[in-house]
Amino acid sequence: PMRPTLSTIAEHSLRNHHVLSPFVLVVAGTAVAIHTPVRHSLFATAASWALIWIFAVSRKGLRRGASLSTTCSLAVFLALGRICDRVICDKEGAWATKGLLPIVAVLVAENRLLPTRFALLSSSPDSDKDDLDGPTEKQTTIATYRILVVASVCALAGLANRFTTSSTLVLGLCSVLFTAIGWTLLENASKAANENVEARRGLVFANGTLSQPNPHGVEKDYLLALVRDVALAMTFLCGTASYFVEPSIFFHGSPWQTTSQSLLNYSVVGTCVLVVLTLTLSNILTFSMISSQGTLHTSFVVVFADLCARLLSGPSFSGVLFTATYVSAFLLFLYVSPGSSAVDVRTVTLLRRVFYAASALSISLLLSFMVGPGRSRSVLPFTSPRYLSGAALAPVHLDLILGHPAAQLIQAAEDDYRHVYSRQSQSLDEATKEYRRRNGLQPPPHFDKWYEYAVRNGVELIDEFDTISRALLPFWALRPSTIRERVRLALGDKENAFIGVMIRDGKIVKIENGDEWQQQATAGMMKDFVQYLPDMDLAFNIHDEPRVIVPHDELSVLVEAAHREIKEAAALKQVLHNSFSSRPSDLNDGKWFDIATTSRFNRYAHQQTWIPSRLSCPMASQARQYEPNAPDNLTAYAAEPLNYIYNQTAFSDICNSPSLSSTFGFFERPNAFSITHELTPIFSQSKISSYQDILYPSPWYWAGKVQYDEKQDTTWENKTNSLYWRGSTTGGFSRNGGWRRQHRQRIVRTLNAPDKAQIIALKESGYEVQEVERQDFDKLIDVRFSHIGQCDEGDCKAQETFFRVTEHAGLQDAWYHKHLLDMDGNAFSGRFYAFLKSRSLTYKMAVFREWHEDRLWPWIHYIPLSLNGTEHLDLVHWFAGGDSQQSTGEESLGERKAREIAERSTEWAGKALRNVDFEAWLFRLLLEYGRVVDDDRMAIGYPGP
């Protein structure tokens, strides 16, 4: 009974292939556009054409088919189009010009240069000219140009990408042009095959009958041979290009690759296999449609697939609107195109008027929606914060019509993240050029060794080290000997609390002070690359708190002088030496640290530190206002209606937020506060934004002081749907009621307060702000202190009375909750990486900055929280499924996003927070620092391959 059913399905599929083929092509093309890995797109293309060649050979054999010139012309242009897309190395950027494909295909097809140049048409020039110049057909084609233009505009708008650069646009236009030429040549070859078949006549028998082959069979045979030959050429061209420009996706069993790296390779291979199979189907359908339905109709379908992919990757009102308009244009074009048997003048005129009126109305509505009063663009200002005053300090506007604020922020962050990830350098040459573009001069010596180390260990985001460049920039204004002298003075007094490290002749010859585990971890982080470092002394901060704060007037002069120094170094036309200079005369042989008789560090333990901490802020910033109680610059980092954090960097910039002076523990009474106002190269594990310490990966993480045990974790579905935190009152020392002005106490008090709060509720008319009783959401909040400490006796007792202190809880207890809260203590939180590795969603309130600012992304790997807490309950409510339909039991958007971010953070932590990632970052940092303290820094550097 199954065979008749299958036969019926096959019969209907063949009968309706003109409808089925475009539909399947849209589905396959959409999947290919979304899932093709950018780094291996040429490999996937070559592999798909190889499969097509194998299939064609099995059906046709190796007998001669199309001419060599025809095959080469087709393959070269098609391959050039794919190579252009690969060079763009940005999936969304490559889409930005695809909407021009139909109109470019028309222009290329009407250009007589192609058939004349490549001699693909077998009919005579005269007959072709007569056919092409028929008045009715020409008039109809000209009349449809307006529809083509509208369709192109709509497609370009639907595929628009705000990150697209000029070079990307040029490459995208080249890709469209090459693809259109290749497809036109294929269509011409199909026409030539058809005409050759019709011209063939069989022998005439005595009875007058003709013995001739089946024209359709011969045409199919010719096209199959053409597919075979083009597939072979495409496999060779794209495979060769892939070999030279793309990294291998296969695991070669190298001794330096870890198990996680090999599993990652296997995952990429699996993805490529699925993409290759889908791409094979897409290429076959494209080839078939061009042969049977023409280039123009095929290009419409392919662009529609790109529009669908763009919508699935980033759904928006404008994307849906322009996609619908594009589809309408396509259907109207099919109705009025030359050769259509259904053309009626009155009907056509009416349809055109309706279409043009609807297009104009939709574009006008969209423009008014974007720029009209009370509206704002959905694109958030992810630019550097500006210091504003007055009413301009209010949060930026988020339109609830576009969805829940968290959903909008996640979408914006994902778009930004995809752009950065897809732009990473793929070779040492590219990395060198990108370094020069960002920093204005060549990389430091042994940059090639660092790149090899990073690539060998699978380091992600190979170009994102701007944190290092910003930290070291002011030191370019100082003479190298001055920098070395300040390090000598800092290490010469043990009371300054630094781990001193001496590097001589490519070895650590002396390490002194600090805990033994911290010494071993610091040395262990450098053991695999110390041989490439110059002779130098390094000062690593033992304290949690930062140590260097330079007044703004001096700092601005230093930065300006540093820029001049870097420009001068870049302007020197000399051959750079890819090595450091020999040991300077002011460094000893490494047997001892020189004793300093005075210290330039002043101690302020258990004192308020806001005044010295804000010294490096610009005078125009909110933190430097003369009057007390100056408002925060919420415009720089917060979004309405509940002050969601859209810019974590600006939020952690204390120059924007004078309110931190009375709400953050570090500014109340830090436990150990020893600082200098002189620019000194001190390596610290974390810092406040206004400090000039040089950040490096914490040995705490490298030594695994807080371990995540995967065996004790459980599945997402088995976790309790609540926000969990247990911890102590660290963050500052409490005296005279100072705990009321510290951040941990503030957050715990807010989340457990018996008052009202605001959430964004989903109503029939959409999302809107609603006031609720916090007690109604007790099940969502499980945040408690488990220890009271760092306080005078009276303050400790007051806190024990005020807070409901619970028993001590182990770290592994957290894994049974879907939502985990992490926040600063005395400095950075040592549990953060363990939380990211878990299968739970991490919420993070952080003012302290760490080395990973370029590596971990808010709304991508964790949820950023403000300190005032107005949005905390709403975020937990939304991510916990507060807007789901309880009757259906379906997973809400918030629940799905919570699960996706939790899974993404786990995966990313396994790729970007390994010990080798810490080491690669420190390797790069110390190479950069080694050049800055080199007396011959103008003449050293990696010259490039």
Side-chain angles (χ1 to χ4, degrees):
M2 185 62 68
R3 290 185 178 180
T5 303
L6 294 177
S7 299
T8 303
I9 294 175
E11 181 181 347
H12 283 289
S13 299
L14 290 173
R15 185 182 307 163
N16 301 299
H17 73 279
H18 59 287
V19 176
L20 185 62
S21 295
F23 175 77
V24 177
L25 179 58
V26 168
V27 175
T30 301
V32 167
I34 293 176
H35 298 292
T36 298
V38 176
R39 289 164 58 92
H40 308 291
S41 60
L42 286 177
F43 171 81
T45 301
S48 67
W49 282 108
L51 292 179
I52 294 174
W53 180 80
I54 293 173
F55 170 77
V57 167
S58 67
R59 299 293 301 273
K60 169 67 180 174
L62 296 174
R63 289 174 296 174
R64 182 178 177 182
S67 65
L68 182 62
S69 63
T70 300
T71 303
C72 290
S73 301
L74 278 168
V76 166
F77 284 110
L78 293 177
L80 284 175
R82 297 298 298 169
I83 292 173
C84 285
D85 289 341
R86 174 61 180 84
V87 173
I88 291 174
C89 200
D90 177 4
K91 198 175 295 182
E92 293 194 0
W95 291 346
T97 54
K98 298 300 184 185
L100 292 173
L101 187 57
I103 198 166
V104 172
V106 170
L107 297 176
V108 170
E110 292 192 354
N111 191 330
R112 299 298 302 159
L113 179 63
L114 283 179
T116 304
R117 188 73 174 172
F118 296 98
L120 291 177
L121 290 177
S122 60
S123 56
S124 64
D126 293 337
S127 63
D128 288 340
K129 188 176 184 302
D130 293 340
D131 292 339
L132 289 173
D133 293 340
T136 303
E137 183 172 335
K138 183 176 181 179
Q139 291 174 2
T140 309
T141 303
I142 293 176
T144 58
Y145 267 126
R146 285 175 291 180
I147 303 176
L148 273 174
V149 170
V150 172
S152 298
V153 170
C154 293
L156 291 175
L159 296 170
N161 183 357
R162 64 189 175 103
F163 297 114
T164 303
T165 62
S166 56
S167 60
T168 298
L169 288 175
V170 171
L171 288 169
L173 291 173
C174 291
S175 172
V176 169
L177 180 61
F178 290 143
T179 303
I181 292 175
W183 286 5
T184 303
L185 293 176
L186 173 60
E187 185 179 5
N188 290 341
S190 301
K191 291 180 180 177
N194 192 25
E195 292 176 3
N196 288 335
V197 168
E198 292 177 355
R200 278 196 200 97
R201 297 291 180 182
L203 298 176
V204 180
F205 290 91
N207 60 4
T209 60
L210 293 175
S211 174
Q212 62 183 42
N214 182 352
H216 299 292
V218 173
E219 180 185 357
K220 182 179 179 181
D221 195 53
Y222 175 84
L223 291 176
L224 193 58
L226 180 63
V227 170
R228 179 200 63 196
D229 297 340
V230 170
L232 181 62
M234 286 290 290
T235 302
F236 173 76
L237 293 174
C238 294
T240 302
S242 173
Y243 177 79
F244 286 106
V245 304
E246 292 185 341
S248 174
I249 67 170
F250 296 103
F251 173 55
H252 299 294
S254 301
W256 56 74
Q257 285 187 294
T258 62
T259 303
S260 61
Q261 178 66 21
S262 63
L263 292 176
L264 172 63
N265 286 334
Y266 295 142
S267 176
V268 174
V269 171
T271 301
C272 282
V273 169
L274 295 177
V275 168
V276 166
L277 296 177
T278 309
L279 188 58
T280 301
L281 176 62
S282 178
N283 288 336
I284 292 175
L285 290 173
T286 303
F287 218 103
S288 174
M289 282 194 63
I290 292 173
S291 301
S292 61
Q293 301 184 40
T295 297
L296 187 56
H297 293 172
T298 306
S299 63
F300 268 109
V301 174
V302 170
V303 173
F304 179 54
D306 287 332
L307 283 167
C308 292
R310 186 73 177 88
L311 278 179
L312 291 175
S313 298
S316 64
F317 172 77
S318 59
V320 174
L321 178 65
F322 284 123
T323 301
T325 310
Y326 176 84
V327 173
S328 301
F330 181 28
L331 296 176
L332 181 60
F333 183 85
L334 289 178
Y335 185 80
V336 303
S337 60
S340 175
S341 59
V343 172
D344 177 76
V345 176
R346 293 184 177 180
T347 305
V348 167
T349 302
L350 178 61
L351 287 176
R352 282 177 179 160
R353 288 177 179 175
V354 173
F355 171 70
Y356 291 138
S359 300
L361 178 62
S362 61
I363 294 175
S364 300
L365 287 175
L366 181 65
L367 291 176
S368 64
F369 179 82
M370 296 176 67
V371 301
R375 300 290 185 179
S376 63
R377 296 177 182 268
S378 59
V379 177
L380 296 172
F382 281 99
T383 55
S384 299
R386 296 177 296 170
Y387 301 105
L388 307 172
S389 60
L393 297 175
V396 299
H397 178 68
L398 278 182
D399 197 335
L400 296 183
I401 294 178
L402 301 178
H404 191 278
Q408 298 184 53
L409 292 166
I410 291 170
Q411 182 60 59
E414 288 176 345
D415 292 342
D416 194 25
Y417 178 74
R418 280 193 294 267
H419 162 71
V420 172
Y421 194 85
S422 64
R423 296 280 182 167
Q424 299 304 301
S425 297
Q426 305 298 317
S427 66
L428 176 59
D429 189 16
E430 290 183 13
T432 303
K433 293 177 181 177
E434 179 63 16
Y435 182 97
R436 187 167 59 245
R437 183 189 71 80
R438 295 191 184 203
N439 300 286
L441 75 167
Q442 290 295 115
H446 301 312
F447 183 78
D448 52 340
K449 301 297 184 183
W450 171 84
Y451 182 84
E452 178 187 358
Y453 182 87
V455 172
R456 187 173 70 229
N457 289 286
V459 172
E460 299 285 345
L461 301 178
I462 206 74
D463 297 322
E464 304 309 313
F465 292 87
D466 292 343
T467 298
I468 295 177
S469 302
R470 289 192 297 268
L472 296 181
L473 176 61
F475 292 95
W476 278 88
L478 302 178
R479 290 194 300 270
S481 59
T482 300
I483 302 174
R484 295 194 297 267
E485 173 66 9
R486 293 182 180 181
V487 175
R488 185 185 70 81
L489 291 176
L491 294 177
D493 186 352
K494 292 185 178 181
E495 296 298 322
N496 287 336
F498 295 117
I499 294 178
V501 177
M502 283 185 168
I503 298 176
R504 302 289 188 270
D505 300 323
K507 299 178 182 178
I508 297 177
V509 297
K510 190 173 185 60
I511 184 167
E512 194 173 274
N513 298 331
D515 293 334
E516 183 179 356
W517 74 266
Q518 193 169 356
Q519 290 184 11
Q520 293 176 352
T522 302
M525 293 170 69
M526 293 188 280
K527 62 181 173 57
D528 288 338
F529 58 81
V530 67
Q531 64 268 28
Y532 301 115
L533 301 180
D535 289 0
M536 56 184 176
D537 297 342
L538 303 172
F540 292 92
N541 182 15
I542 294 176
H543 292 165
D544 291 337
E545 295 89 345
R547 310 293 298 276
V548 184
I549 177 77
V550 180
H552 180 261
D553 54 351
E554 181 180 345
L555 184 61
S556 59
V557 172
L558 288 170
V559 170
E560 184 177 352
H563 282 300
R564 290 197 303 268
E565 184 82 1
I566 290 174
K567 287 182 180 179
E568 183 180 343
L572 293 176
K573 302 298 182 181
Q574 58 181 344
V575 178
L576 297 177
H577 301 289
N578 190 26
S579 61
F580 293 101
S581 303
S582 57
R583 184 190 310 162
S585 59
D586 55 7
L587 283 185
N588 61 36
D589 58 4
K591 293 181 179 179
W592 67 85
F593 290 100
D594 295 334
I595 298 176
T597 57
T598 61
S599 174
R600 300 187 181 184
F601 287 83
N602 299 306
R603 297 185 181 90
Y604 297 92
H606 293 182
Q607 297 184 46
Q608 294 188 347
T609 61
W610 173 253
I611 298 301
S613 294
R614 69 174 186 170
L615 284 178
S616 70
C617 293
M619 290 301 299
S621 67
Q622 291 304 110
R624 297 297 295 271
Q625 295 296 310
Y626 296 110
E627 296 295 334
N629 302 319
D632 292 348
N633 179 12
L634 296 177
T635 308
Y637 60 83
E640 290 181 338
L642 300 182
N643 293 350
Y644 305 89
I645 302 300
Y646 76 82
N647 191 325
Q648 173 63 24
T649 302
F651 167 70
S652 63
D653 184 353
I654 72 163
C655 302
N656 290 322
S657 304
S659 66
L660 291 174
S661 63
S662 59
T663 58
F664 195 72
F666 173 78
F667 304 117
E668 173 63 20
R669 296 182 190 275
N671 285 302
F673 191 64
S674 176
I675 63 169
T676 180
H677 296 309
E678 190 174 63
L679 184 63
T680 306
I682 302 303
F683 294 88
S684 294
Q685 303 167 65
S686 65
K687 71 173 186 176
I688 297 295
S689 64
S690 56
Y691 287 71
Q692 281 70 57
D693 299 59
I694 302 171
L695 292 176
Y696 78 106
S698 173
W700 177 274
Y701 292 132
W702 192 90
K705 286 294 186 177
V706 177
Q707 290 281 358
Y708 164 68
D709 188 353
E710 185 180 5
K711 295 180 180 179
Q712 297 194 43
D713 203 348
T714 185
T715 62
W716 175 264
E717 293 75 15
N718 197 37
K719 294 174 183 282
T720 302
N721 200 16
S722 63
L723 179 69
Y724 177 86
W725 183 83
R726 292 291 186 275
S728 62
T729 54
T730 55
F733 189 86
S734 180
R735 176 174 294 163
N736 299 327
W739 58 271
R740 296 180 177 86
R741 297 184 293 275
Q742 295 181 3
H743 54 280
R744 284 196 169 185
Q745 288 87 335
R746 182 184 180 90
I747 290 178
V748 173
R749 180 182 62 201
T750 300
L751 288 174
N752 293 283
D755 59 3
K756 295 182 182 296
Q758 289 182 322
I759 64 172
I760 307 297
L762 180 60
K763 304 294 184 181
E764 294 182 1
S765 57
Y767 285 99
E768 59 183 51
V769 179
Q770 178 181 344
E771 193 173 74
V772 297
E773 295 286 344
R774 285 188 181 274
Q775 294 179 344
D776 294 340
F777 299 89
D778 281 348
K779 293 183 178 180
L780 290 180
I781 305 298
D782 189 2
V783 175
R784 299 284 188 273
F785 282 118
S786 57
H787 175 71
I788 303 295
Q790 293 187 185
C791 45
D792 286 339
E793 183 178 357
D795 281 40
C796 287
K797 290 182 177 179
Q799 292 182 77
E800 291 172 354
T801 302
F802 185 87
F803 296 105
R804 191 175 67 185
V805 182
T806 65
E807 69 282 356
H808 173 75
L811 175 67
Q812 310 304 328
D813 295 338
W815 312 146
Y816 290 93
H817 298 264
K818 289 185 178 180
H819 312 272
L820 301 180
L821 173 62
D822 188 55
M823 50 182 161
D824 290 339
N826 292 329
F828 70 98
S829 169
R831 295 183 288 188
F832 185 35
Y833 290 0
F835 282 8
L836 292 175
K837 292 176 182 178
S838 75
R839 300 188 185 101
S840 302
L841 175 65
T842 303
Y843 299 72
K844 176 80 167 172
M845 197 295 296
V847 174
F848 278 94
R849 293 179 174 179
E850 298 179 67
W851 72 280
H852 57 234
E853 186 174 354
D854 299 324
R855 290 290 184 275
L856 296 176
W857 291 58
W859 301 106
I860 296 290
H861 303 120
Y862 66 93
I863 307 303
L865 297 180
S866 69
L867 181 53
N868 60 27
T870 53
E871 87 287 18
H872 293 184
L873 181 60
D874 174 65
L875 286 174
V876 178
H877 175 258
W878 188 73
F879 282 116
D883 59 353
S884 64
Q885 300 297 325
Q886 299 296 332
S887 59
T888 63
E890 296 179 358
E891 186 180 46
S892 69
L893 176 61
E895 290 175 297
R896 179 165 61 84
K897 288 298 182 181
R899 177 173 47 80
E900 289 176 355
I901 296 175
E903 293 172 351
R904 186 160 52 206
S905 73
T906 302
E907 178 186 5
W908 185 249
K911 295 192 295 185
L913 297 178
R914 306 163 298 166
N915 277 6
V916 290
D917 296 303
F918 307 153
E919 294 162 11
W921 209 90
L922 185 59
F923 188 1
R924 173 81 170 254
L925 170 62
L926 294 181
L927 288 181
E928 299 273 14
Y929 176 75
R931 174 168 61 177
V932 171
V933 298
D934 195 302
D935 287 324
D936 203 21
R937 63 189 181 189
M938 294 289 198
I940 64 174
Y942 177 66

